[in-house]
Amino acid sequence: MKAIEVNNLTKSYGKARGVIDVSFGVEEGEIFGFIGPNGAGKSTTIRTLLGLIKPTAGSTAILGHDSQLDGVAARSEVGYLPSEVFYYDNLKVIDLLRYSAQFYGKNCDTRIKELAEIMDLDLTRKIDDLSYGNKKKVGIVQGLLHQPRVIILDEPTGGLDPLMQQTFFRLLESESQRGATILFSSHVLSEVQRMCHRVAIIKEGRLITTETLKNLKANAYKYFTIETQGAPALDAFVALGAKNGHVEGNTITFLYRGDLKPVLQQIAALDIVDFTAREPELEEIFLHYYQKEA
């Protein structure tokens, strides 16, 4: 039995696009990345999976429970963090979290204090007094306080500073080690590369591919920007397999995938003013998959 199943899921909003014929499965204990740009259909898929909205066609299930027909059982073992969190402003953090714990019939005070210490969250403050980042911390603690078997995270790092993001990732790794299944939805590729075993890529409501992280990295382009003293020549890089090359003044940019040694040798032969090679955006990585489809 898969921990998460999405089978031929379609959700339409009249003329507006939702998701179209999306299918994937997540094994128990797996950390699975669900990636795509904002508006690609990630949140729609997750909300349908949780039974918060109804599909137009297809089905979803969590731990063998149909999300629509057996929604209470499907959600009972789930910890969910939405991309944006909203709470009653006048509640204290501890009161909100204790209230949440009651839905699971558990006394989670020890677990709440443990998570709050990890996330550096003040339990005595009112929700209204918290920054956006601290409200996101409340959502993280709320999603994990009952030690769920399935953890579903929708753009979870928004509002967290870089140090707290690292703390959060370590917390997720410990949850994975105890056997939890994690669905990690994000448009930030570096987060997915750190956390996930496999990834599904979605764009404009359609699933493009499901890949192991190893294959995704092997297929990913790097984005080069090179500034030279004189007018740069792009042809040498195109001959090596560079894509989407562009020259503007003394600067050339291009995407490249493969062995870096010949590219670096070609760069070394130039009279360089400045040079960067960065991880591409997801839109740039999608280029490879669109070319393959074409």
Side-chain angles (χ1 to χ4, degrees):
M1 178 184 71
K2 287 183 169 58
I4 293 173
E5 295 179 86
V6 177
N7 299 310
N8 305 113
L9 176 64
T10 295
K11 175 62 180 177
S12 299
Y13 298 99
K15 293 183 179 180
R17 175 185 49 76
V19 294
I20 305 165
D21 198 27
V22 170
S23 296
F24 63 86
V26 183
E27 302 293 336
E28 289 197 55
E30 185 176 16
I31 305 179
F32 188 87
F34 191 39
I35 61 177
N38 292 326
K42 302 188 299 296
S43 294
T44 295
T45 302
I46 287 173
R47 288 169 186 159
T48 309
L49 175 63
L50 291 167
L52 302 178
I53 57 178
K54 293 183 177 181
T56 304
S59 64
T60 60
I62 299 173
L63 297 171
H65 301 289
D66 186 285
S67 302
Q68 302 296 323
L69 302 179
D70 199 5
V72 174
R75 291 186 291 272
S76 64
E77 294 285 355
V78 172
Y80 170 50
L81 176 65
S83 56
E84 296 185 36
V85 290
F86 301 96
Y87 297 117
Y88 295 113
D89 290 341
N90 288 326
L91 276 178
K92 287 185 177 179
V93 173
I94 185 62
D95 295 330
L96 170 71
L97 295 174
R98 283 174 176 164
Y99 176 70
S100 298
Q102 291 177 6
F103 287 95
Y104 303 100
K106 297 179 180 180
N107 184 332
C108 300
D109 279 4
T110 301
R111 175 69 169 163
I112 289 170
K113 290 177 182 177
E114 174 189 322
L115 291 169
E117 184 175 344
I118 292 171
M119 297 303 298
D120 191 23
L121 176 65
D122 186 348
L123 296 173
T124 65
R125 295 185 67 185
K126 284 189 175 183
I127 298 294
D128 191 37
D129 296 333
L130 298 180
S131 66
Y132 173 61
N134 279 316
K135 287 180 181 178
K136 183 59 75 79
K137 292 180 188 179
V138 174
I140 291 169
V141 176
Q142 184 183 32
L144 301 180
L145 58 82
H146 58 298
Q147 294 186 304
R149 290 173 60 190
V150 176
I151 299 168
I152 298 176
L153 308 166
D154 191 2
E155 303 285 356
T157 59
L160 299 182
D161 64 57
L163 288 177
M164 190 51 62
Q165 287 181 21
Q166 299 310 310
T167 300
F168 174 57
F169 292 145
R170 288 193 294 271
L171 177 58
L172 291 183
E173 286 163 355
S174 69
E175 291 295 299
S176 176
Q177 288 167 6
R178 73 168 175 82
T181 303
I182 300 174
L183 175 63
F184 191 103
S185 169
S186 180
H187 69 278
V188 183
L189 183 61
S190 59
E191 295 178 353
V192 175
Q193 286 179 333
R194 167 168 178 166
M195 294 299 304
C196 300
H197 306 142
R198 287 191 304 135
V199 296
I201 298 176
I202 188 170
K203 182 171 173 62
E204 296 180 356
R206 296 183 183 272
L207 204 66
I208 299 172
T209 188
T210 302
E211 291 273 16
T212 64
L213 191 58
K214 181 179 179 181
N215 286 343
L216 181 67
K217 287 181 177 179
N219 289 327
Y221 288 86
K222 283 186 168 49
Y223 189 88
F224 285 82
T225 302
I226 305 165
E227 184 182 353
T228 63
Q229 290 282 5
L234 185 61
D235 293 348
F237 294 103
V238 172
L240 294 173
K243 305 288 185 183
N244 282 25
H246 180 68
V247 179
E248 184 173 340
N250 291 348
T251 301
I252 58 174
T253 58
F254 58 85
L255 293 169
Y256 179 80
R257 176 172 59 89
D259 184 7
L260 293 176
K261 186 175 180 179
V263 171
L264 294 176
Q265 288 174 337
Q266 185 63 40
I267 292 172
L270 300 174
D271 190 3
I272 298 174
V273 174
D274 196 11
F275 155 64
T276 60
R278 65 168 173 81
E279 183 181 79
E281 301 295 332
L282 279 175
E283 289 286 349
E284 294 162 346
I285 288 179
F286 289 157
L287 174 67
H288 164 70
Y289 294 97
Y290 291 155
Q291 287 177 335
K292 186 164 61 174
E293 285 181 349

